Amino acid sequence: MDDWRNRFIHLHSCRGMTWKLLYYLLKKDPDLKTIYTYTIPQLQKAFQLTDQRAIALHHDLHACPPNDLIQQYEKQQIIPITILDSNYPLSLKNIHDPPFVLYVKGKIDYLSNSKCIAVIGTRRPSNEGSKKVYHLIGPLIRDNWTIVSGLAEGIDTLAHKAAIFNNGKTISVLGSGFHHIYPKKNEALYIEMSKNNCVISEYPPHTSPRKWHFPARNRIISGLSQGIIVVEAKEKSGSLITADQALEQGRDVFAVPGSIFSDTSKGTNRLIQEGAKLILNSHDLLEELPRFHE
């Protein structure tokens, strides 16, 4: 089983691999051995790959054997978790499209916490928005909630820092691999969190950020959480996409109201108008989630 698991992680890490291709491979070759025997033309023909993808995939299949790759991850203190592993987060396994592999740095046990709440919002918060984050997160930490966010600029960064400031637990979900932290200005925060908290990504470490990675990773933020709090968001905001995904996953959506004259409150006010639960403080939130109260 260990050899199969290592091949699974190895294939997932190869350039040119996608979840659709990996799914197809699992159906065609459950032992995940045949693909290692393919030539570049055979890869192109079998999986309808471009020249570039086939060459990259073939190179990565043979440049570093599966067991060697696992050892490299161990040296870099990267822990891969497959969807078949017992420590894969149950809440994430039950969403529509769970990641096949999660790459983890830091406190892996945080992923088994049942009391996780996502805190998200605009990358350009107002001064009031910053105050809202600290106002909400302190009491949540004291009630043993783990704060989940995305290490983006703005509200995400404030959420992680507020959790750390209050000696709490926080999980960051990246939209890139560990070797390409985005935004660059959060590299110090990433390093701190990878030692003392938890950082995860569905992308292999060598993967650079792409525009579409961030909407995709939002389903993991909401999937790990019992609910999401949108602190501030513009009317057309990625945070609203996360709110939609949370609703599809059966999660609670909370929004903090703001001035009708503020651009960064138009999205949250709209969420409330459409049925999100209005919260003014953490007490409001905890009252709405009695089934998760310890």
Side-chain angles (χ1 to χ4, degrees), residues 9-62:
I9 294 167
H10 182 241
L11 288 170
H12 186 269
S13 299
C14 289
R15 291 172 300 159
M17 185 60 63
T18 63
W19 73 266
K20 287 183 179 179
L21 178 51
L22 190 51
Y23 181 76
Y24 177 73
L25 278 171
L26 284 166
K27 290 182 71 175
K28 188 174 180 179
D29 177 25
D31 290 333
L32 299 178
K33 290 181 179 179
T34 305
I35 192 171
Y36 290 97
T37 68
Y38 285 17
T39 63
I40 292 173
Q42 286 173 329
L43 286 172
Q44 288 177 292
K45 185 177 180 181
F47 307 118
Q48 289 80 53
L49 302 181
T50 63
D51 290 355
Q52 188 177 1
R53 276 187 67 194
I55 291 168
L57 179 55
H58 187 269
H59 174 272
D60 288 2
L61 283 169
H62 300 284

Side-chain angles (χ1 to χ4, degrees), residues 6 21-22 43 50 61 67 76 98 102 118 124 139 143 171 190 197 233 239 242 276 279 288:
N6 290 354
L21 178 51
L22 190 51
L43 286 172
T50 63
L61 283 169
N67 291 347
Q76 296 170 41
L102 287 174
R124 299 286 181 268
D143 200 55
I171 299 169
Y190 156 75
N197 278 278
S239 298
T242 312
I279 57 167
E288 289 286 352

Side-chain angles (χ1 to χ4, degrees), residues 92 95 97 99 102 148 173-174 200-202 215-225 245 249:
L92 202 56
I95 69 173
D97 49 354
L102 287 174
V148 182
V173 185
L174 303 185
I200 68 171
S201 178
E202 67 175 319
R217 68 95 193 264
N218 290 345
R219 80 191 193 286
I220 301 175
I221 292 174
S222 56
L224 285 171
S225 307
Q245 291 173 329
Q249 295 168 352

Side-chain angles (χ1 to χ4, degrees), residues 13-230:
S13 299
C14 289
R15 291 172 300 159
M17 185 60 63
T18 63
W19 73 266
K20 287 183 179 179
L21 178 51
L22 190 51
Y23 181 76
Y24 177 73
L25 278 171
L26 284 166
K27 290 182 71 175
K28 188 174 180 179
D29 177 25
D31 290 333
L32 299 178
K33 290 181 179 179
T34 305
I35 192 171
Y36 290 97
T37 68
Y38 285 17
T39 63
I40 292 173
Q42 286 173 329
L43 286 172
Q44 288 177 292
K45 185 177 180 181
F47 307 118
Q48 289 80 53
L49 302 181
T50 63
D51 290 355
Q52 188 177 1
R53 276 187 67 194
I55 291 168
L57 179 55
H58 187 269
H59 174 272
D60 288 2
L61 283 169
H62 300 284
C64 180
N67 291 347
D68 290 356
L69 179 69
I70 298 301
Q71 287 178 7
Q72 284 184 21
Y73 284 159
E74 287 176 359
K75 287 178 182 176
Q76 296 170 41
Q77 297 181 311
I78 296 170
I79 308 166
I81 307 175
T82 79
I83 195 168
L84 299 178
D85 292 341
S86 60
N87 57 351
Y88 189 94
L90 185 60
S91 61
L92 202 56
K93 189 178 286 189
N94 292 329
I95 69 173
H96 173 64
D97 49 354
F100 282 161
V101 179
L102 287 174
Y103 300 88
V104 185
K105 294 203 75 164
K107 313 279 190 180
I108 192 171
D109 57 304
Y110 284 13
L111 297 176
S112 62
N113 291 351
S114 59
K115 291 178 66 172
C116 288
I117 192 83
V119 179
I120 60 171
T122 178
R123 286 171 168 77
R124 299 286 181 268
S126 65
N127 289 335
E128 186 178 294
S130 303
K131 293 175 184 176
K132 289 174 182 176
V133 172
Y134 278 83
H135 176 66
L136 290 168
I137 284 182
L140 288 173
I141 293 297
R142 289 192 288 276
D143 200 55
N144 203 32
W145 284 86
T146 298
I147 305 301
V148 182
S149 200
L151 205 76
E153 289 186 68
I155 296 296
D156 288 24
T157 296
L158 289 166
H160 294 308
K161 288 184 174 180
I164 293 167
F165 177 79
N166 285 281
N167 298 314
K169 299 173 182 176
T170 182
I171 299 169
S172 175
V173 185
L174 303 185
S176 61
F178 294 140
H179 299 163
H180 299 274
I181 299 305
Y182 181 86
K184 198 75 176 171
K185 64 173 67 173
N186 274 350
E187 195 150 357
L189 178 59
Y190 156 75
I191 291 169
E192 180 182 0
M193 288 190 63
S194 65
K195 293 176 181 176
N196 302 313
N197 278 278
C198 182
V199 185
I200 68 171
S201 178
E202 67 175 319
Y203 301 106
H206 60 75
T207 309
S208 56
R210 295 287 185 268
K211 189 176 181 180
W212 60 88
H213 289 177
F214 297 95
R217 68 95 193 264
N218 290 345
R219 80 191 193 286
I220 301 175
I221 292 174
S222 56
L224 285 171
S225 307
Q226 304 296 354
I228 69 165
I229 307 169
V230 185

